[in-house]
Structure formats: C-alpha cells, structure tokens
Amino acid sequence: MAKPRNTLVILGATGDLTRRLLLPALYRLHTLNLIGDLRIVGYALEQWSHERFERYVHDGLKKFAEDFDAAQWDRFRARLDYRSGELKAEAVGSLKPLLSPGTLFYLALPPSLFGAAADALGEAGFAQAPRGGWRRLVVEKPFGNDLDSAKKLRTQMHAHWKELQILRIDHFLGKETTQNLMVFRFANRFLEPVWNAQHIEQVQITYAETLGVEKRAGYYDHAGALRDMLQNHLMQLFSLAAIEPLSTWDAEVLRDHKVEVLRSVKRFTARTVDKHAVRGQYAAGKVGRRTLRGYREEPGVPADSITETFAALRLEIDNWRWEGVPFYLRSGKRMASNCSEIAVQFKRNPGALPGEVAAEQNWMIFRIKPNQTMTLLANAKIPGLELDGRQVRLTAPYAEDGDSGFSAYEQLLMDALEGDRTHFLRFDEVEWAWRVLDPVLKAWKRGKPEAYAAGSEGPEGQHRLLDADHQWRPVRLVAGEDDA
Ligand code: BG6
C-alpha cells in the first residue's frame, strides 16, 4: 500500500475527548470523503494491541457517531494504527515509521502533560518537516493555568516548535454561531454604522449549561468556570463581537485585531475585582421532580471545594468605538437551561414617538443554544385604530434545508489538516486574556463562591455587576420564542 500523504497522531488516544469528539468528527469527515488517505494513529500509555484499539474506536463510534455504518467502518478501520508508550523521546520514537510528509500531532491530553508531550515529540525530531512536507501540533485548552504558567509553557513549546506550527484549539471558534458573528457583522452594510458606543447600550454574552461537573471533577476542580469557559471561549466571543473591521481577510490580521481588543480592556486591580467579577457554586436544587446534588457532593469533588461553577465578568473597553459600553460575560454549570447567546442591546431612542408608542430598546441576539438563530427585537405597530406599538421578534435560523453543517471539531480538524490558522489562538491572544483575568484568579484564592441552587439562574451576586438600568436576560427559555 502506498504511504499516506498525511498522518494524524492523537496523543491521549484512549481518553474521553478522543472517543467523544475527535473520532466521531474524523469518522464523519471520512464518510464525506474529505480526508483523503489520512492515516490515524492513536498513542497512549495503555499497552493495547491493534485489535483492542480498533474495538475501542468501533464501540466509541457506535455510541457517539451520528450515522454508524458497517461498510464505512470497514474502510475507516483501515486508517487506524496504535502505539503505546510514555511521553518520552525514546518511546514516541516508535511512531517514526508511521509519519507522513504531512503530519499533525494532536495533544488530547491533560493540560499538565502538554509541555512534556511537545518536548518528547521535539526531541524525537518530529518538529522538523521533511522537504515538501509539514509538521503541526494541536494543543487543547487550557493553555496554562494563569499568566505565568502560560508564558512558561510557551517557552517550553518554543524550544522545538515554531509559533506557526502550534495550533491552540478553542472549539468555540469552530462553532457556526461564532463564525457567523464575523460574517454577519462585516457582510451587512446596515450594521457597521451602529455597531459602536453611540448606539449600543450593553452586550451580554451568556453560556449557561444544565450539565453539572459530570465525571470531570479531577480536571474541573482545579480549573473552575473562569478558566474552563471565560478565559478562552467567552473571551473569544467577546473579542469577535468587538473587533474592528479587517483590511484583509487573513489569519494574522484577524488575530492582531482580536489582540487589540483584549489589550484595550480596562484592567482590574485587587481593589476593583469585586465590581467586575462574581463567582458562584451550585448547591443542591430541584429541576422538576428531580433533586440534583450540589457541586461539593459530586464524586471526586472535595467537600470544602471553593471552585466556582459560575463566573461572571463586567468588561469595559478603553477605545473610541466602545467607551462606556459594558460587556457582561457569564457562564455556569447546572443552570436553568442550555441557553447560550450573544445579545446586543441598542440605546433608547431620543425624541417624540407617535401616539401611545413606547419604544422598547432593540436587541440583536445571536443564539448559540438551544438553536442557532439570529433574532432582532424591534418595535412595530399594533394593528388597530390607535397608533400603538409593541415589540416583535424577527427570528431567522441561519441553516436552510440542504445546508450541511459541520461540528466544531470537524471544522477545526479540517482547518488543522489544511494549515489554516484563522480559527486557532495565537499565543498573544491567550496571554492577553490571562492578563485580564489574573487579578481575579488571585483574588479568588481567598473567600468562597456564593451558592446558587442547581437548576436556577445563578447567584444573586451577578446582578451587582450591572449598571442600574440594566438587567440580565433570562436564562430560562420562553416557550414559543426559542423553537425557531
Ligand atoms: C468545554 C468545557 O471547553 O466546553 C466544558 O471544558 C463545557 O466544561 C464545554 O461544557 C461547552 O461547550 P459545548 O460546545 O459542549 O457546548
């Protein structure tokens, strides 16, 4: 058999991320004939035989892939290979005969192992591309634990790998809504003139999840909501909502613009943290008839844990476009619903309105979950003899019949194989996000988060971040409004 042109090596091949997300994504791309002759090599500590790995992949796909099909599986399994070993140069050296001219290494590993894995691969000589080929390294999040550790990890990785070879993945950048935010903002002429502090009152970015910590306590109890969701995913949504228009569509220009936003965020100090950041931890609560246990009762969570499962921030940007506009970001586990959105409120209208019309402030809402929609809340006349008005919802799902959507991992794996860095994080994006959050992390080493009932809208304290005339949008879904 001819040697494949490209190989993907997954380090951490027996882990949850690989089974739940990476392999189903690769399988779908395979069924769509999008990955050519790509060879997929699993690497992990477990001393499994080839057959054992195949069985593991097979069972995982049956459980997690959308359309498992026996004939497709037969072709997919021919791509697979497996090697076991530690994250040491000598051990990973066993992968050498399996590498192709184009090889992508995917670190689907606990964050504490990113540095060791990059070193081992580098020392084995794998960062050097053969003539006409390429070598790339995909790194999962979180990149570092705070600013200092992120810088150290960068230095460690740069010992063997160039920045351009490192693809820091943030799966939110592969989400349709995130990419639509860029398209919708810049492809619509009517938006740009009003996308600024003169017309926008506030921006709310909410990512609420009904899920609890599940079986991830080992990771989550060290991370917490601020590191798990805000530092990466929500800061990315925030910077895309706020960036300046690009002169050229280019990965580096886009990333420069995002960094510019992050650099313009007004910094918190130890004294101002409380005005800008709120944390909460879910306690036992009821959803319908089900009683859900509190975070501290979850398996693997210490009974005195002060890890936050909810975090909210108030960010202000010190530039001409956004001066005075608060950006509120929040994310929490075990919330009332899976309601996630970027919601932009426009300012109140000046001047007189006809008759009885009381114009409500407009909202433009980009819904991520439960459905991907865009909604404009606008005012219109109520039919009748009077000149009366009310708010109407103009909602558009942006997938049409026949559109073939891709999951975030499908999208980003394709980008990584093609070498498109647009939707990956450059180190300075990570760095500036940590700069903003470092004072919060320091402050939160003391005290404890406010409890909120599982299944609720989060801690009361979140309201103190808001300006007097602002209110959080409801996390509960309203029947009839969300099924578009
Ligand atoms: C992950 C977080 O990055 O994103 C999880 O680690 C979170 O805690 C998840 O649940 C949310 O993303 P999605 O795409 O699954 O809604």
Side-chain angles (χ1 to χ4, degrees):
M1 212 172 93
K3 206 173 156 103
R5 283 223 38 83
N6 295 326
T7 291
L8 166 66
V9 180
I10 305 177
L11 293 100
T14 54
D16 188 55
L17 173 74
T18 306
R19 198 161 113 103
R20 250 180 347 103
L21 296 165
L22 299 183
L23 288 165
L26 289 162
Y27 176 76
R28 170 133 194 273
L29 296 172
H30 154 90
T31 60
L32 296 171
N33 290 326
L34 290 172
I35 47 174
D37 62 355
L38 181 74
R39 175 179 7 225
I40 301 168
V41 182
Y43 187 86
L45 261 184
E46 282 78 7
Q47 293 183 352
W48 286 357
S49 64
H50 187 95
E51 291 67 38
R52 174 80 209 276
F53 182 62
E54 256 189 33
R55 220 176 328 123
Y56 175 80
V57 177
H58 174 266
D59 296 350
L61 290 180
K62 272 197 123 169
K63 187 156 177 209
F64 296 110
E66 259 174 36
D67 297 305
F68 185 82
D69 169 271
Q72 287 286 5
W73 161 248
D74 261 347
R75 290 198 292 123
F76 188 74
R77 78 200 292 182
R79 298 175 180 277
L80 301 175
D81 237 310
Y82 182 77
R83 292 289 182 276
S84 65
E86 298 193 346
L87 295 173
K88 300 260 167 59
E90 236 170 71
V92 298
S94 69
L95 291 164
K96 194 161 184 198
L98 299 173
L99 308 189
S100 296
T103 297
L104 181 67
F105 296 95
Y106 197 118
L107 307 188
L109 295 165
S112 55
L113 299 178
F114 293 161
D119 277 350
L121 295 169
E123 282 161 24
F126 294 167
Q128 308 295 333
R131 262 186 147 220
W134 50 264
R135 292 281 188 263
R136 295 180 199 125
L137 187 66
V138 177
V139 190
E140 269 291 334
K141 55 134 250 215
F143 195 87
N145 213 23
D146 56 14
L147 181 60
D148 269 358
S149 56
K151 283 186 180 163
K152 282 190 191 123
L153 183 57
R154 189 251 333 243
T155 307
Q156 186 177 9
M157 290 203 150
H158 281 185
H160 297 283
W161 298 85
K162 297 198 180 70
E163 179 63 26
L164 291 184
Q165 292 177 287
I166 302 174
L167 300 169
R168 294 180 193 83
I169 198 164
D170 180 324
H171 79 282
F172 271 48
L173 294 188
K175 283 184 189 280
E176 290 289 352
T177 314
T178 315
Q179 299 193 359
N180 178 51
L181 191 58
M182 289 182 261
V183 173
F184 197 78
R185 261 201 70 189
F186 297 123
N188 289 307
R189 178 77 195 221
F190 68 85
L191 217 52
E192 179 54 24
V194 293
W195 205 256
N196 54 49
Q198 198 189 336
H199 297 284
I200 290 181
E201 166 92 33
Q202 56 163 326
V203 179
Q204 295 189 8
I205 303 179
T206 296
Y207 209 82
E209 298 181 283
T210 53
L211 281 182
V213 67
E214 310 304 304
K215 293 181 186 144
R216 301 166 72 216
Y219 152 75
Y220 194 87
D221 199 58
H222 292 290
L226 195 68
R227 292 188 179 92
D228 185 50
M229 294 297 291
L230 281 281
Q231 191 273 344
N232 34 66
H233 307 324
L234 267 60
M235 288 297 253
Q236 282 296 316
L237 296 178
F238 157 72
S239 56
L240 287 170
I243 48 170
E244 293 301 313
L246 274 61
S247 51
T248 330
W249 264 105
D250 171 271
E252 297 317 316
V253 179
L254 175 66
R255 302 194 295 179
D256 289 344
H257 279 58
K258 285 197 281 171
V259 169
E260 197 53 36
V261 172
L262 296 169
R263 291 178 78 133
S264 316
V265 172
K266 284 191 201 161
R267 297 302 180 69
F268 317 145
T269 60
R271 280 227 216 114
T272 62
V273 161
D274 272 356
K275 275 204 204 140
H276 289 270
V278 165
R279 60 182 154 158
Q281 188 188 65
Y282 65 81
K286 269 200 145 189
V287 174
R289 290 212 192 127
R290 260 178 83 208
T291 303
L292 299 168
R293 59 178 160 230
Y295 177 71
R296 292 175 174 197
E297 285 97 58
E298 298 276 18
V301 174
D304 57 352
S305 168
I306 58 159
T307 299
E308 79 285 355
T309 60
F310 172 101
L313 292 175
R314 175 200 172 99
L315 301 180
E316 289 157 23
I317 303 178
D318 196 10
N319 71 15
W320 285 86
R321 184 185 286 271
W322 294 116
E323 193 193 18
V325 181
F327 284 72
Y328 305 115
L329 279 55
R330 64 178 169 163
S331 180
K333 300 256 181 225
R334 280 279 187 256
M335 303 270 287
S337 76
N338 283 316
C339 172
S340 301
E341 61 182 28
I342 302 152
V344 179
Q345 188 186 39
F346 289 86
K347 292 212 150 130
R348 201 167 287 291
N349 281 352
L353 288 165
E356 300 292 306
V357 178
E360 302 258 356
Q361 282 169 265
N362 300 127
W363 283 91
M364 177 77 221
I365 302 154
F366 300 86
R367 246 309 144 77
I368 306 173
K369 279 186 176 177
N371 298 303
Q372 305 202 25
T373 55
M374 293 173 291
T375 293
L376 180 65
L377 298 185
N379 297 297
K381 183 178 176 295
I382 302 173
L385 294 175
E386 310 299 329
L387 256 186
D388 224 346
R390 69 179 161 210
Q391 202 167 55
V392 294
R393 303 174 68 88
L394 308 173
T395 296
Y398 47 92
E400 295 187 354
D401 285 350
D403 286 349
S404 62
F406 287 88
S407 74
Y409 275 94
E410 288 161 8
Q411 171 93 39
L412 294 173
L413 278 165
M414 281 306 290
D415 287 351
L417 289 166
E418 284 166 6
D420 181 350
R421 296 188 299 278
T422 312
H423 306 301
F424 292 89
L425 308 187
R426 205 168 61 191
F427 179 72
D428 47 357
E429 293 180 69
V430 177
E431 176 185 1
W432 282 95
W434 281 127
R435 277 184 200 280
V436 173
L437 296 187
D438 248 23
V440 184
L441 291 171
K442 286 208 179 88
W444 286 4
K445 283 186 183 151
R446 291 181 298 280
K448 57 179 192 197
E450 180 188 335
Y452 61 97
S456 71
E457 304 222 2
E460 273 305 305
Q462 64 184 300
H463 300 288
R464 74 160 191 265
L465 299 181
L466 305 181
D467 281 356
D469 47 351
H470 294 169
Q471 283 173 357
W472 283 110
R473 283 181 39 79
V475 169
R476 283 177 204 287
L477 298 172
V478 180
E481 287 182 354
D482 302 286
D483 14 82

